[in-house]
Amino acid sequence: MDKKDAVKKYMMLYMGLGMCFGVSIGLVFGRILYPDNMSMGICFGLPIGMYIDMTIGTAKDKRLSENIMKICRIEAISGSSDTMIYSLDKNGTEKEYRVTEKKMKAEKFVVNDRVAEETDGSLVSLESK
């Protein structure tokens, strides 16, 4: 896999969450070990929380990287606000996904974008917009 194909969608998100939880866990940890200076625990909790959640995010990104597809066409569904997105996987098989109007606005799907399928079967954009 090339560096340009690497997915880093969840690693950064989870790393930020890990920092938030790490600070709070570090404060509790510091309060127990250093009752006079509870902020000393932050220097332990912050990197631990960041590392754990960054590992989780990297695992999710690796799973998405194995399933990269390219959008070949987008069609509106008549009588509905939903949209059908057709994508080609690495084997050339065309897959179709029904996407709600809300998800379409959030992800900003466009033809020729790289996308991947989540574990729940939903489509997620890998492009940064």
Side-chain angles (χ1 to χ4, degrees):
M1 178 175 19
D2 296 333
K3 283 196 175 220
K4 69 177 183 76
D5 292 336
V7 178
K8 291 190 169 124
K9 184 176 184 82
Y10 288 112
M11 183 188 73
M12 300 302 285
L13 172 71
Y14 278 80
M15 188 172 69
L17 287 173
M19 290 170 66
C20 295
F21 288 118
V23 167
S24 59
I25 291 169
L27 285 173
V28 171
F29 183 66
R31 182 73 173 162
I32 293 169
L33 290 180
Y34 309 103
D36 295 336
N37 189 4
M38 68 180 191
S39 63
M40 287 291 291
I42 293 176
C43 65
F44 299 109
L46 186 65
I48 291 170
M50 193 169 61
Y51 176 75
I52 290 171
D53 283 358
M54 190 171 59
T55 305
I56 293 169
T58 303
K60 286 185 82 163
D61 285 341
K62 185 177 179 184
R63 190 175 60 244
L64 287 179
S65 295
E66 295 169 354
N67 195 16
I68 293 178
M69 298 180 283
K70 197 165 232 173
I71 295 177
C72 59
R73 69 180 194 269
I74 299 173
E75 296 177 358
I77 299 174
S78 61
S80 175
S81 62
D82 293 351
T83 306
M84 289 300 289
I85 294 180
Y86 299 91
S87 61
L88 292 172
D89 64 4
K90 59 185 172 189
N91 299 327
T93 307
E94 186 175 83
K95 294 184 177 183
E96 61 181 42
Y97 298 92
R98 186 179 184 125
V99 179
T100 62
E101 181 181 16
K102 181 179 176 183
K103 177 111 177 171
M104 190 72 176
K105 284 182 182 177
E107 296 285 345
K108 299 177 182 155
F109 294 113
V110 180
V111 175
N112 290 327
D113 274 358
R114 294 181 318 145
V115 293
E117 184 178 0
E118 287 278 7
T119 54
D120 62 353
S122 65
L123 203 61
V124 62
S125 176
L126 302 177
E127 304 292 336
S128 58
K129 297 175 187 167

